[in-house]
Amino acid sequence: MPRIIFLPHERLCPEGAVVEAEPGTTILDAALAHDIDIEHACEKSCACTTCHVWVREGGESLEPPSECEDDMLDKAWGLEPDSRLSCQAMVGETDLVVEIPKYTINLASEGH
């Protein structure tokens, strides 16, 4: 079973974490199942960027982002070439190394 290696994040997983995930599971669902509480304001509907992550290794094994995901990523804080929405990126057969950004843009909680 593939593993997702979450790099340390000051608030969500200070020590980092290594979790196993069934192929076809989203990165977000794998994180939530292991108490890594990545924000997901739109309830996984690809309508915000709060679950934005950087896939540092293994990203080539993921399906390419949909047009909707690409459009949303354009609005993400800290957009990089390996950026993905964790609610959309599904684990394949390869291990992944994932970094959770320090900041996120949540217009609902920021009062916009």
Side-chain angles (χ1 to χ4, degrees), residues 34-85:
H34 291 88
D35 299 319
I36 302 170
D37 193 22
I38 297 175
E39 191 172 358
H40 51 287
C42 73
E43 296 300 321
K44 309 176 197 174
S45 65
C46 197
C48 74
T49 63
T50 57
C51 71
H52 168 236
V53 296
W54 298 303
V55 180
R56 298 301 191 198
E57 293 179 23
E60 67 282 349
S61 70
L62 302 173
E63 290 291 321
S66 67
E67 185 176 333
C68 178
E69 182 181 356
D70 269 340
D71 289 346
M72 290 309 305
L73 282 168
D74 287 341
K75 302 171 187 170
W77 180 90
L79 182 65
E80 295 187 9
D82 56 1
S83 288
R84 291 299 301 264
L85 296 182

Side-chain angles (χ1 to χ4, degrees), residues 6-17 35-36 100:
F6 288 96
L7 298 177
H9 181 277
E10 184 178 303
R11 189 173 48 84
L12 300 178
C13 56
E15 304 298 317
D35 299 319
I36 302 170
I100 304 166

Side-chain angles (χ1 to χ4, degrees), residues 77-107:
W77 180 90
L79 182 65
E80 295 187 9
D82 56 1
S83 288
R84 291 299 301 264
L85 296 182
S86 63
C87 73
Q88 301 299 302
M90 292 192 185
V91 176
E93 298 293 334
T94 304
D95 292 350
L96 303 173
V97 176
V98 173
E99 184 175 358
I100 304 166
K102 184 174 182 177
Y103 301 108
T104 187
I105 297 172
N106 184 342
L107 299 179

